[in-house]
PDB file of all heavy atoms in Angstrom:
ATOM      1  N   GLY R   4      15.784  -5.850  -8.072  1.00  0.00           N
ATOM      2  CA  GLY R   4      15.881  -7.158  -7.437  1.00  0.00           C
ATOM      3  C   GLY R   4      16.195  -8.244  -8.452  1.00  0.00           C
ATOM      4  O   GLY R   4      17.002  -9.139  -8.198  1.00  0.00           O
ATOM      5  N   ASP R   5      15.567  -8.149  -9.630  1.00  0.00           N
ATOM      6  CA  ASP R   5      15.852  -9.110 -10.709  1.00  0.00           C
ATOM      7  C   ASP R   5      17.331  -9.091 -11.073  1.00  0.00           C
ATOM      8  O   ASP R   5      17.944 -10.136 -11.309  1.00  0.00           O
ATOM      9  CB  ASP R   5      15.019  -8.776 -11.947  1.00  0.00           C
ATOM     10  CG  ASP R   5      13.525  -9.044 -11.757  1.00  0.00           C
ATOM     11  OD1 ASP R   5      13.181  -9.804 -10.821  1.00  0.00           O
ATOM     12  OD2 ASP R   5      12.727  -8.500 -12.539  1.00  0.00           O
ATOM     13  N   ASP R   6      17.905  -7.885 -11.130  1.00  0.00           N
ATOM     14  CA  ASP R   6      19.315  -7.753 -11.506  1.00  0.00           C
ATOM     15  C   ASP R   6      20.230  -8.458 -10.508  1.00  0.00           C
ATOM     16  O   ASP R   6      21.276  -8.988 -10.884  1.00  0.00           O
ATOM     17  CB  ASP R   6      19.703  -6.280 -11.607  1.00  0.00           C
ATOM     18  CG  ASP R   6      19.016  -5.568 -12.771  1.00  0.00           C
ATOM     19  OD1 ASP R   6      18.541  -6.267 -13.692  1.00  0.00           O
ATOM     20  OD2 ASP R   6      18.938  -4.324 -12.743  1.00  0.00           O
ATOM     21  N   VAL R   7      19.813  -8.439  -9.225  1.00  0.00           N
ATOM     22  CA  VAL R   7      20.614  -9.080  -8.183  1.00  0.00           C
ATOM     23  C   VAL R   7      20.376 -10.584  -8.164  1.00  0.00           C
ATOM     24  O   VAL R   7      21.268 -11.370  -7.844  1.00  0.00           O
ATOM     25  CB  VAL R   7      20.268  -8.465  -6.807  1.00  0.00           C
ATOM     26  CG1 VAL R   7      21.014  -9.179  -5.690  1.00  0.00           C
ATOM     27  CG2 VAL R   7      20.576  -6.981  -6.791  1.00  0.00           C
ATOM     28  N   GLY R   8      19.146 -11.002  -8.518  1.00  0.00           N
ATOM     29  CA  GLY R   8      18.759 -12.402  -8.422  1.00  0.00           C
ATOM     30  C   GLY R   8      17.824 -12.670  -7.269  1.00  0.00           C
ATOM     31  O   GLY R   8      17.661 -13.812  -6.826  1.00  0.00           O
ATOM     32  N   VAL R   9      17.190 -11.605  -6.765  1.00  0.00           N
ATOM     33  CA  VAL R   9      16.273 -11.702  -5.634  1.00  0.00           C
ATOM     34  C   VAL R   9      14.869 -11.351  -6.109  1.00  0.00           C
ATOM     35  O   VAL R   9      14.655 -10.290  -6.705  1.00  0.00           O
ATOM     36  CB  VAL R   9      16.691 -10.747  -4.492  1.00  0.00           C
ATOM     37  CG1 VAL R   9      15.652 -10.755  -3.385  1.00  0.00           C
ATOM     38  CG2 VAL R   9      18.056 -11.133  -3.943  1.00  0.00           C
ATOM     39  N   ASP R  10      13.929 -12.248  -5.871  1.00  0.00           N
ATOM     40  CA  ASP R  10      12.548 -11.992  -6.276  1.00  0.00           C
ATOM     41  C   ASP R  10      11.888 -11.011  -5.313  1.00  0.00           C
ATOM     42  O   ASP R  10      11.913 -11.211  -4.091  1.00  0.00           O
ATOM     43  CB  ASP R  10      11.747 -13.295  -6.298  1.00  0.00           C
ATOM     44  CG  ASP R  10      12.100 -14.155  -7.499  1.00  0.00           C
ATOM     45  OD1 ASP R  10      12.353 -13.590  -8.574  1.00  0.00           O
ATOM     46  OD2 ASP R  10      12.131 -15.388  -7.350  1.00  0.00           O
ATOM     47  N   ILE R  11      11.272  -9.978  -5.855  1.00  0.00           N
ATOM     48  CA  ILE R  11      10.510  -9.014  -5.075  1.00  0.00           C
ATOM     49  C   ILE R  11       9.121  -8.947  -5.685  1.00  0.00           C
ATOM     50  O   ILE R  11       8.959  -8.617  -6.859  1.00  0.00           O
ATOM     51  CB  ILE R  11      11.175  -7.632  -5.074  1.00  0.00           C
ATOM     52  CG1 ILE R  11      12.564  -7.729  -4.424  1.00  0.00           C
ATOM     53  CG2 ILE R  11      10.320  -6.615  -4.342  1.00  0.00           C
ATOM     54  CD1 ILE R  11      13.327  -6.434  -4.403  1.00  0.00           C
ATOM     55  N   GLY R  12       8.121  -9.275  -4.897  1.00  0.00           N
ATOM     56  CA  GLY R  12       6.754  -9.325  -5.384  1.00  0.00           C
ATOM     57  C   GLY R  12       6.104  -7.948  -5.401  1.00  0.00           C
ATOM     58  O   GLY R  12       6.663  -6.954  -4.934  1.00  0.00           O
ATOM     59  N   SER R  13       4.919  -7.884  -5.951  1.00  0.00           N
ATOM     60  CA  SER R  13       4.188  -6.619  -6.042  1.00  0.00           C
ATOM     61  C   SER R  13       3.102  -6.561  -4.982  1.00  0.00           C
ATOM     62  O   SER R  13       2.579  -7.585  -4.539  1.00  0.00           O
ATOM     63  CB  SER R  13       3.566  -6.464  -7.432  1.00  0.00           C
ATOM     64  OG  SER R  13       2.647  -7.509  -7.684  1.00  0.00           O
ATOM     65  N   ILE R  14       2.779  -5.346  -4.573  1.00  0.00           N
ATOM     66  CA  ILE R  14       1.727  -5.133  -3.592  1.00  0.00           C
ATOM     67  C   ILE R  14       1.038  -3.813  -3.896  1.00  0.00           C
ATOM     68  O   ILE R  14       1.663  -2.870  -4.416  1.00  0.00           O
ATOM     69  CB  ILE R  14       2.281  -5.125  -2.150  1.00  0.00           C
ATOM     70  CG1 ILE R  14       1.127  -5.195  -1.143  1.00  0.00           C
ATOM     71  CG2 ILE R  14       3.160  -3.903  -1.890  1.00  0.00           C
ATOM     72  CD1 ILE R  14       1.581  -5.484   0.272  1.00  0.00           C
ATOM     73  N   SER R  15      -0.240  -3.748  -3.614  1.00  0.00           N
ATOM     74  CA  SER R  15      -0.999  -2.515  -3.731  1.00  0.00           C
ATOM     75  C   SER R  15      -1.500  -2.146  -2.338  1.00  0.00           C
ATOM     76  O   SER R  15      -2.139  -2.964  -1.664  1.00  0.00           O
ATOM     77  CB  SER R  15      -2.190  -2.697  -4.685  1.00  0.00           C
ATOM     78  OG  SER R  15      -2.996  -1.532  -4.716  1.00  0.00           O
ATOM     79  N   VAL R  16      -1.166  -0.942  -1.905  1.00  0.00           N
ATOM     80  CA  VAL R  16      -1.601  -0.451  -0.601  1.00  0.00           C
ATOM     81  C   VAL R  16      -2.483   0.766  -0.841  1.00  0.00           C
ATOM     82  O   VAL R  16      -2.050   1.740  -1.460  1.00  0.00           O
ATOM     83  CB  VAL R  16      -0.408  -0.081   0.292  1.00  0.00           C
ATOM     84  CG1 VAL R  16      -0.889   0.436   1.651  1.00  0.00           C
ATOM     85  CG2 VAL R  16       0.503  -1.291   0.489  1.00  0.00           C
ATOM     86  N   THR R  17      -3.717   0.702  -0.395  1.00  0.00           N
ATOM     87  CA  THR R  17      -4.646   1.812  -0.588  1.00  0.00           C
ATOM     88  C   THR R  17      -4.975   2.454   0.755  1.00  0.00           C
ATOM     89  O   THR R  17      -4.993   1.795   1.790  1.00  0.00           O
ATOM     90  CB  THR R  17      -5.950   1.344  -1.246  1.00  0.00           C
ATOM     91  OG1 THR R  17      -6.590   0.357  -0.412  1.00  0.00           O
ATOM     92  CG2 THR R  17      -5.669   0.722  -2.606  1.00  0.00           C
ATOM     93  N   SER R  18      -5.219   3.745   0.721  1.00  0.00           N
ATOM     94  CA  SER R  18      -5.551   4.495   1.927  1.00  0.00           C
ATOM     95  C   SER R  18      -6.697   5.432   1.615  1.00  0.00           C
ATOM     96  O   SER R  18      -6.636   6.207   0.653  1.00  0.00           O
ATOM     97  CB  SER R  18      -4.330   5.296   2.401  1.00  0.00           C
ATOM     98  OG  SER R  18      -4.640   6.074   3.531  1.00  0.00           O
ATOM     99  N   ARG R  19      -7.770   5.343   2.403  1.00  0.00           N
ATOM    100  CA  ARG R  19      -8.903   6.244   2.181  1.00  0.00           C
ATOM    101  C   ARG R  19      -9.528   6.634   3.509  1.00  0.00           C
ATOM    102  O   ARG R  19      -9.488   5.875   4.484  1.00  0.00           O
ATOM    103  CB  ARG R  19      -9.960   5.601   1.277  1.00  0.00           C
ATOM    104  CG  ARG R  19     -10.671   4.393   1.855  1.00  0.00           C
ATOM    105  CD  ARG R  19     -11.559   3.730   0.809  1.00  0.00           C
ATOM    106  NE  ARG R  19     -12.282   2.583   1.343  1.00  0.00           N
ATOM    107  CZ  ARG R  19     -13.513   2.644   1.850  1.00  0.00           C
ATOM    108  NH1 ARG R  19     -14.153   3.808   1.884  1.00  0.00           N
ATOM    109  NH2 ARG R  19     -14.108   1.564   2.310  1.00  0.00           N
ATOM    110  N   VAL R  20     -10.095   7.829   3.547  1.00  0.00           N
ATOM    111  CA  VAL R  20     -10.748   8.352   4.745  1.00  0.00           C
ATOM    112  C   VAL R  20     -12.249   8.167   4.596  1.00  0.00           C
ATOM    113  O   VAL R  20     -12.850   8.641   3.634  1.00  0.00           O
ATOM    114  CB  VAL R  20     -10.400   9.842   4.960  1.00  0.00           C
ATOM    115  CG1 VAL R  20     -11.137  10.378   6.184  1.00  0.00           C
ATOM    116  CG2 VAL R  20      -8.909  10.024   5.121  1.00  0.00           C
ATOM    117  N   ARG R  21     -12.855   7.447   5.522  1.00  0.00           N
ATOM    118  CA  ARG R  21     -14.295   7.187   5.449  1.00  0.00           C
ATOM    119  C   ARG R  21     -15.108   8.391   5.909  1.00  0.00           C
ATOM    120  O   ARG R  21     -16.096   8.767   5.294  1.00  0.00           O
ATOM    121  CB  ARG R  21     -14.641   5.967   6.304  1.00  0.00           C
ATOM    122  CG  ARG R  21     -14.028   4.666   5.790  1.00  0.00           C
ATOM    123  CD  ARG R  21     -14.361   3.510   6.674  1.00  0.00           C
ATOM    124  NE  ARG R  21     -13.831   2.253   6.146  1.00  0.00           N
ATOM    125  CZ  ARG R  21     -13.919   1.084   6.764  1.00  0.00           C
ATOM    126  NH1 ARG R  21     -14.515   1.004   7.951  1.00  0.00           N
ATOM    127  NH2 ARG R  21     -13.410  -0.012   6.208  1.00  0.00           N
ATOM    128  N   VAL R  22     -14.680   8.996   7.024  1.00  0.00           N
ATOM    129  CA  VAL R  22     -15.353  10.174   7.567  1.00  0.00           C
ATOM    130  C   VAL R  22     -14.303  11.236   7.828  1.00  0.00           C
ATOM    131  O   VAL R  22     -13.228  10.931   8.352  1.00  0.00           O
ATOM    132  CB  VAL R  22     -16.112   9.838   8.872  1.00  0.00           C
ATOM    133  CG1 VAL R  22     -16.789  11.090   9.430  1.00  0.00           C
ATOM    134  CG2 VAL R  22     -17.128   8.735   8.639  1.00  0.00           C
ATOM    135  N   GLU R  23     -14.586  12.469   7.466  1.00  0.00           N
ATOM    136  CA  GLU R  23     -13.621  13.541   7.643  1.00  0.00           C
ATOM    137  C   GLU R  23     -13.173  13.628   9.098  1.00  0.00           C
ATOM    138  O   GLU R  23     -13.974  13.623  10.018  1.00  0.00           O
ATOM    139  CB  GLU R  23     -14.228  14.878   7.206  1.00  0.00           C
ATOM    140  CG  GLU R  23     -13.232  16.028   7.230  1.00  0.00           C
ATOM    141  CD  GLU R  23     -13.830  17.319   6.694  1.00  0.00           C
ATOM    142  OE1 GLU R  23     -14.982  17.297   6.222  1.00  0.00           O
ATOM    143  OE2 GLU R  23     -13.124  18.342   6.764  1.00  0.00           O
ATOM    144  N   GLY R  24     -11.862  13.666   9.275  1.00  0.00           N
ATOM    145  CA  GLY R  24     -11.308  13.729  10.624  1.00  0.00           C
ATOM    146  C   GLY R  24     -10.900  12.380  11.178  1.00  0.00           C
ATOM    147  O   GLY R  24     -10.154  12.306  12.148  1.00  0.00           O
ATOM    148  N   ASP R  25     -11.404  11.287  10.566  1.00  0.00           N
ATOM    149  CA  ASP R  25     -11.026   9.944  11.015  1.00  0.00           C
ATOM    150  C   ASP R  25      -9.642   9.570  10.491  1.00  0.00           C
ATOM    151  O   ASP R  25      -9.148  10.156   9.534  1.00  0.00           O
ATOM    152  CB  ASP R  25     -12.040   8.904  10.525  1.00  0.00           C
ATOM    153  CG  ASP R  25     -13.327   8.917  11.332  1.00  0.00           C
ATOM    154  OD1 ASP R  25     -13.394   9.676  12.322  1.00  0.00           O
ATOM    155  OD2 ASP R  25     -14.258   8.184  10.965  1.00  0.00           O
ATOM    156  N   ASP R  26      -9.069   8.545  11.120  1.00  0.00           N
ATOM    157  CA  ASP R  26      -7.832   7.984  10.583  1.00  0.00           C
ATOM    158  C   ASP R  26      -8.136   7.311   9.252  1.00  0.00           C
ATOM    159  O   ASP R  26      -9.200   6.710   9.081  1.00  0.00           O
ATOM    160  CB  ASP R  26      -7.254   6.936  11.543  1.00  0.00           C
ATOM    161  CG  ASP R  26      -6.747   7.542  12.837  1.00  0.00           C
ATOM    162  OD1 ASP R  26      -6.209   8.665  12.787  1.00  0.00           O
ATOM    163  OD2 ASP R  26      -6.891   6.901  13.887  1.00  0.00           O
ATOM    164  N   PRO R  27      -7.210   7.378   8.303  1.00  0.00           N
ATOM    165  CA  PRO R  27      -7.431   6.682   7.032  1.00  0.00           C
ATOM    166  C   PRO R  27      -7.453   5.179   7.230  1.00  0.00           C
ATOM    167  O   PRO R  27      -6.768   4.633   8.111  1.00  0.00           O
ATOM    168  CB  PRO R  27      -6.238   7.116   6.169  1.00  0.00           C
ATOM    169  CG  PRO R  27      -5.184   7.513   7.157  1.00  0.00           C
ATOM    170  CD  PRO R  27      -5.910   8.077   8.332  1.00  0.00           C
TER     171      PRO R  27
END
C-alpha cells in the first residue's frame, strides 16, 4: 500500500474457543 500511496492500517484479530464445541 505504501508503494502505491495508500495508507493501510494494522489490525490484530484473535480467535479462541471458551468451551469445547462452542463457536470461537
